[in-house]
């Protein structure tokens, strides 16, 4: 996920000792007060904090999927119980313990951010409760050997390779200038893009900007001297918008690209007017409010707008698919956390964002990266980075 909170997460987990004892079995078929015919699935993330705008869409989408399932009058219904962590590990960990020992959830959608995931997932692991995040992208999360952890969004390494491939193959750029913000997110992300385009034969040059600075003229001059076909920026939209503005004022016309940290209307606002138009933003998330990606995406977009009065947004499709995975497990007769986790190890069904299937490490086997193009204050989907075209 794009915010600094997520990217700076690291993998330093707090002590996850739970003392769950006999109650550490996770969810039960009688959890959630359903009298044996209800399974409770949790949703955890920043629901009221400063980054809630990018967590509410997947929460709403998960609720939509569950409401649609319950409307079919199944033998076992599902209740979605929310946990507002505000993206903070110190709030998320006790909430996770409550979810396991008191609420007896059978699964968790989330946590939304990578930072809280690094702290909460050891707790879920000890409680033997499966989780599926719709948005946590820190690559290191998949390296801990967790058996109950999953996510439905490709990690940052995959995103960097996808955007780099798009620059080399679709844009056919021969000279690429790489800029990053020196952050734990932006720098390694930019390095992945750089290595990808170099392997494809492109020449590169690079520079870093200071996120506290407002004058990027030094970087602009370096870009002008290199005369690239494309510029990739690893960082966030606040700096990205200012960078575009100064590049254009400096006479640089090369195509500007960035990643999910810039997938926000604030990029265009920072650049001013239509200055950012034509910029390409990549993301492993599918945002498709017009349903152009296919019939399933079209139906999801239509149903989402009918229920919430808003277009689908960032991570909403992944939230819907995370709920769909748990629904499929329950429909197959699995109502306890451990049985649901076993089911998730073999799930292989279509979702609205991708095929829902996990590697043994919990990563999505689908590694699609999508590209969006700035047009005014809108970010319409161009398509999959492997075959999208730019006019």
């Amino acid at each position: 996920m794009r915010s600094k909170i997520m990217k700076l997460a690291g993998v330093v987990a707090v002590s996850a000792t739970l003392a769950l004892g006999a109650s550490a079995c996770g969810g039960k078929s009688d959890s959630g007060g359903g009298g044996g015919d209800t399974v409770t699935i949790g949703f955890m993330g920043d629901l009221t904090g400063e980054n809630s705008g990018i967590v509410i869409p997947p929460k709403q989408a998960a609720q939509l999927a569950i409401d649609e399932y319950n409307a079919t009058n199944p033998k076992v219904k599902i209740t979605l119980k929310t946990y507002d962590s505000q993206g903070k590990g110190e709030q998320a960990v006790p909430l996770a313990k409550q979810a396991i020992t008191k609420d007896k959830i059978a699964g968790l959608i989330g946590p939304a951010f990578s930072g809280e995931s690094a702290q909460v997932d050891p707790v879920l692991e000890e409680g033997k409760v499966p989780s599926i995040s719709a948005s946590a992208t820190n690559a290191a999360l998949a390296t801990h050997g967790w058996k109950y952890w999953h996510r439905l969004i490709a990690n940052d390494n995959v995103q960097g390779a996808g955007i780099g491939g798009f620059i080399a193959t679709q844009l056919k750029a021969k000279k690429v200038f790489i800029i990053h913000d020196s952050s734990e997110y932006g720098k390694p992300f930019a390095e992945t893009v750089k290595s990808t385009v170099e392997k494809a034969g492109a020449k590169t040059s690079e520079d870093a900007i200071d996120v506290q600075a407002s004058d990027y003229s030094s970087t602009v001059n370096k870009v002008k001297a290199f005369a690239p076909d494309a510029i990739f920026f690893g960082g966030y939209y606040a700096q990205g918008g200012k960078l575009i503005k100064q590049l254009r004022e400096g006479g640089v016309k090369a195509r500007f690209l960035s990643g999910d940290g810039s997938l926000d209307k604030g990029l265009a606002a920072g650049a001013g007017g239509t200055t950012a138009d034509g910029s390409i933003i990549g993301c492993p998330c599918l945002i498709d409010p017009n349903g152009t990606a296919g019939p399933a995406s079209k139906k999801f977009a239509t149903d989402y707008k009918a229920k919430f009065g808003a277009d689908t947004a960032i991570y909403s499709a992944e939230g819907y698919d995370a709920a769909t995975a748990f629904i499929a497990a329950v429909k197959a007769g699995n109502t306890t956390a451990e049985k649901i986790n076993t089911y998730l190890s073999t799930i292989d069904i279509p979702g609205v964002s991708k095929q829902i299937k996990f590697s043994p490490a919990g990563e999505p086997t689908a590694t699609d990266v999508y590209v969006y193009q700035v047009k005014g204050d809108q970010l319409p989907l161009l398509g999959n980075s492997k075959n999208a075209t730019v006019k």
Side-chain angles (χ1 to χ4, degrees), residues 156-157 159-161 164 167 176-198 204-208 232-235 259:
D156 290 336
N157 292 341
Q159 181 181 191
I167 294 172
V176 183
F177 199 96
I178 305 292
I179 306 170
H180 62 77
D181 62 0
S182 301
S183 71
E184 292 186 35
Y185 161 58
K187 186 175 181 179
F189 185 7
E191 287 174 346
T192 302
V193 173
K194 180 175 183 284
S195 65
T196 301
V197 298
E198 286 179 342
T204 64
S205 184
E206 64 179 298
D207 197 23
F232 176 80
F233 171 59

Side-chain angles (χ1 to χ4, degrees), residues 5 22 58 66 111 150 166 186 188 380:
I5 289 175
I66 289 171
H150 314 77
F166 178 81

